[in-house]
Amino acid sequence: MALPKEPRQKMINLMYLVLMAMLALNVSAEILNAFKTVNESITNSNNAITQKNNLVYQQFEKQLSIDPERVRPIKEKADQVKILCEQMNLYIDSLKKVIIRESGGLNDSGEIKDMSNLDAPSRVMENQGQGPILEKKIETLRQQLLSMYDNPVEREEVAQILPLKIEMPKKTIDNKKTWTQVNFEMVPTIAAITILSKIQNDVKNSEAQVIDDLFKKIGQQEFVFDTYKPLISANAGYVIAGQKYEAQIMLGAYSSTINPTITVNGQPIPVQNGVGTFSTVASGVGLHTYNVAISLKDQSGQIKTYTATAEYMVGAPAVSVSADKMNVLYIGVDNPISVAVAGVPAEKVSATISGPGSLIKSGPGKYIARVSAVGTVTVNVSAEFDGQVRPMGSMEFRTKRIPDPVAEVAGSKGGTLSAAVFKVQKGVAAVLENFDFDAKFVVTSFTIGFDGAGFSDYIEASSNSAYFTEEIERYIQRCRPGTRVFIDNIHARGPDGTTRLLPPISFKLN
């Protein structure tokens, strides 16, 4: 069953084709922004398809638990499709990162710095040979997906509509251009990223089509029921003391229009439409078992009884609170924190912070902690059980200032430095070493002195920013091998708003 194209997906495809045509005429800011918009739309579409595909894979798991022998061969094919498509998407993601890095990387907002860069895509895809590799991978993946169809006729029909394919416009064939040249030669970086996102869209749509067809084959096979077996479906196999345990019990391969008699540990339970519901309030830490008996009349009128044993584990509340970066919280930056309570769904868990700080939820079981003073804070965790919120525990964290950065010029913290390299530098940088957070310090002032070759006396100048002033630039132009440079009184302001005095650095030019 092919994945239906919704109007949104059709619009994305149309915009993609129009923009590719306009790209040949002009690369304006409007076109670059349009490519950015299309790329975001394709990315959103890819996420939606991924969610849909994940639901199908979950259904494979469910069907496997019902009839392992019949479903397993089909599910193994679906698992192979998932692995192949994930590998392709990871490879394309790596190409995106390389192209973005070659074009200058991302800015502080996480956006591409130079969307109009024409050299990076050509360099990566043509000069470095990644384009032909990608083309080969697409062809290989297409054949691997088609191999999932055992029937040659069905395989040929799918081949005609499978989105993932290598297509060449007729005019490019006449001009003898390669697929790589058609798609990536002298195109802006944002256009190359959009093209790669479109290929990922084809991969995900093709994945959806193949796994949908495979799942449909499960329903095409005939079910043969030749045994009776009690089936027990519980809301949880592990519950916390005070939490409600509930299980649904039914007789497999039996009509839901006839109610059997079901007992648990000898006590009858309510039965409706062939399904009995057993519930009890969990108590006592440890493993608990219960015996189920299902009785009904067979076709001859005789009562037959089928038995089974089920178990569940009761555990004491266990709270897990961890800082995703390290075992401290730092002032002035976002500190990711993960919160969990064993046996409780993430959406039923909540957390607050006590002390100088705040806690903002960023996802299921995920929070961002921001603290404002050195000392300690406490993260308190609660969980909801049957509509009631109960405290589960807490954990204390130390709060610290961000470590002092070090001053650098040309990526060096001192020592010998080429005079030619030094002359093209624009200022002094403050760099955090061995720190897991993306925290930035900005140099606000410094003093620089010159001595030795090119200077008859020691000369000193100051700057009230991270950059060399015009006066300092004039002194730098006098530098040559043998000049000694001293930089001290270096002040830098961090994300926590405080200003630090950094250790001095010095260089001997060669």
Side-chain angles (χ1 to χ4, degrees):
M1 178 177 66
L3 183 69
K5 291 186 177 179
E6 299 177 350
R8 173 184 173 85
Q9 183 64 47
K10 292 182 179 179
M11 180 60 69
I12 291 174
N13 293 342
L14 180 59
M15 293 173 63
Y16 173 83
L17 294 175
V18 172
L19 287 173
M20 288 301 296
M22 294 177 64
L23 181 61
L25 302 176
N26 186 26
V27 184
S28 66
E30 290 79 9
I31 292 178
L32 294 176
N33 287 328
F35 267 107
K36 177 183 174 184
T37 300
V38 172
N39 184 62
E40 291 174 350
S41 296
I42 294 175
T43 300
N44 291 335
S45 175
N46 289 346
N47 292 335
I49 299 172
T50 298
Q51 292 177 359
K52 177 266 176 190
N53 289 345
N54 288 338
L55 290 176
V56 177
Y57 289 124
Q58 292 174 13
Q59 290 301 312
F60 272 106
E61 293 288 349
K62 182 177 179 180
Q63 292 299 322
L64 181 67
S65 67
I66 297 174
D67 194 346
E69 185 176 353
R70 182 177 59 85
V71 175
R72 182 173 288 107
I74 303 175
K75 182 181 180 299
E76 287 176 351
K77 284 188 175 184
D79 290 342
Q80 186 178 358
V81 170
K82 182 178 182 181
I83 293 173
L84 292 172
C85 292
E86 283 181 347
Q87 291 174 344
M88 173 62 86
N89 283 313
L90 289 174
Y91 172 70
I92 296 176
D93 282 337
S94 70
L95 290 181
K96 290 182 180 180
K97 292 178 181 178
V98 172
I99 292 174
I100 291 173
R101 184 177 67 242
E102 290 289 326
S103 69
L106 303 175
N107 59 24
D108 293 341
S109 300
E111 297 183 348
I112 300 173
K113 288 182 179 178
D114 188 2
M115 293 192 297
S116 63
N117 189 298
L118 301 175
D119 295 326
S122 298
R123 185 162 57 250
V124 174
M125 303 305 288
E126 290 191 66
N127 300 347
Q128 298 177 11
Q130 291 300 322
I133 293 176
L134 175 59
E135 181 181 6
K136 180 64 177 178
K137 284 181 177 291
I138 292 174
E139 290 284 6
T140 301
L141 178 58
R142 174 180 170 84
Q143 295 307 315
Q144 290 172 326
L145 295 179
L146 291 174
S147 70
M148 301 298 162
Y149 297 87
D150 297 329
N151 188 318
V153 176
E154 184 183 14
R155 187 187 312 127
E156 182 61 29
E157 291 175 350
V158 174
Q160 300 299 319
I161 59 175
L162 197 68
L164 185 65
K165 64 179 70 174
I166 296 296
E167 294 182 310
M168 293 285 290
K170 183 177 179 180
K171 64 177 183 180
T172 58
I173 296 176
D174 296 337
N175 294 336
K176 297 183 179 180
K177 279 194 173 184
T178 66
W179 179 83
T180 300
Q181 291 172 327
V182 170
N183 288 280
F184 299 101
E185 184 179 42
M186 296 303 290
V187 301
T189 293
I190 185 61
I193 298 301
T194 304
I195 292 170
L196 292 174
S197 295
K198 178 61 169 62
I199 295 174
Q200 287 180 310
N201 185 263
D202 292 340
V203 171
K204 291 180 181 293
N205 274 311
S206 299
E207 176 186 8
Q209 179 171 329
V210 175
I211 64 175
D212 282 348
D213 289 343
L214 289 173
F215 189 79
K216 185 171 64 174
K217 294 182 184 300
I218 296 177
Q220 291 174 343
Q221 299 187 26
E222 183 180 359
F223 285 90
V224 178
F225 299 108
D226 54 7
T227 58
Y228 291 98
K229 182 180 179 180
L231 301 178
I232 302 171
S233 176
N235 67 333
Y238 181 92
V239 292
I240 295 172
Q243 186 179 3
K244 185 178 181 180
Y245 175 82
E246 184 174 287
Q248 292 184 322
I249 303 171
M250 69 195 78
L251 183 63
Y254 186 70
S255 173
S256 62
T257 61
I258 301 177
N259 288 331
T261 300
I262 302 177
T263 63
V264 175
N265 293 334
Q267 299 297 317
I269 62 173
V271 179
Q272 185 175 5
N273 296 326
V275 178
T277 300
F278 165 61
S279 64
T280 185
V281 176
S283 62
V285 175
L287 183 66
H288 293 252
T289 61
Y290 57 94
N291 300 313
V292 176
I294 304 177
S295 302
L296 77 162
K297 291 182 179 181
D298 63 8
Q299 294 179 346
S300 64
Q302 295 181 335
I303 295 178
K304 291 189 175 181
T305 301
Y306 303 88
T307 62
T309 299
E311 61 185 27
Y312 61 94
M313 180 70 70
V314 176
V319 177
S320 171
V321 182
S322 62
D324 291 355
K325 296 288 186 179
M326 54 194 71
N327 196 28
V328 295
L329 304 180
Y330 285 94
I331 299 171
V333 297
D334 290 343
N335 298 270
I337 287 181
S338 296
V339 178
V341 176
V344 181
E347 60 269 17
K348 298 291 186 180
V349 178
S350 59
T352 59
I353 194 169
S354 299
S358 62
L359 202 60
I360 301 174
K361 190 170 186 177
S362 58
K366 299 291 184 180
Y367 291 83
I368 297 297
R370 293 188 66 89
V371 293
S372 56
V374 175
T376 61
V377 296
T378 301
V379 176
N380 308 295
V381 180
S382 301
E384 181 183 338
F385 297 102
D386 299 327
Q388 296 182 346
V389 177
R390 303 179 185 177
M392 291 287 102
S394 62
M395 184 169 291
E396 187 176 82
F397 288 90
R398 294 173 296 159
T399 58
K400 292 184 176 181
R401 291 199 321 158
I402 298 173
D404 288 341
V406 296
E408 290 185 359
V409 174
S412 175
K413 296 184 288 294
T416 59
L417 183 65
S418 166
V421 171
F422 181 68
K423 285 185 177 182
V424 298
Q425 302 307 309
K426 298 301 180 182
V428 181
V431 180
L432 275 170
E433 296 183 311
N434 302 319
F435 191 63
D436 288 344
F437 290 88
D438 185 19
K440 298 184 182 298
F441 277 79
V442 178
V443 173
T444 57
S445 64
F446 63 88
T447 300
I448 185 169
F450 303 89
D451 193 12
F455 299 87
S456 57
D457 296 306
Y458 178 78
I459 295 178
E460 189 174 87
S462 298
S463 172
N464 290 323
S465 70
Y467 299 97
F468 296 141
T469 63
E470 292 183 0
E471 178 186 13
I472 294 174
E473 292 279 4
R474 290 195 297 271
Y475 292 145
I476 289 176
Q477 295 309 311
R478 293 167 53 181
C479 293
R480 61 175 184 263
T483 300
R484 293 186 298 275
V485 181
F486 308 90
I487 305 176
D488 58 3
N489 293 324
I490 307 168
H491 293 82
R493 185 174 59 252
D496 57 358
T498 62
T499 298
R500 318 283 180 87
L501 177 62
L502 309 187
I505 57 175
S506 63
F507 300 92
K508 183 176 181 179
L509 306 185
N510 58 20

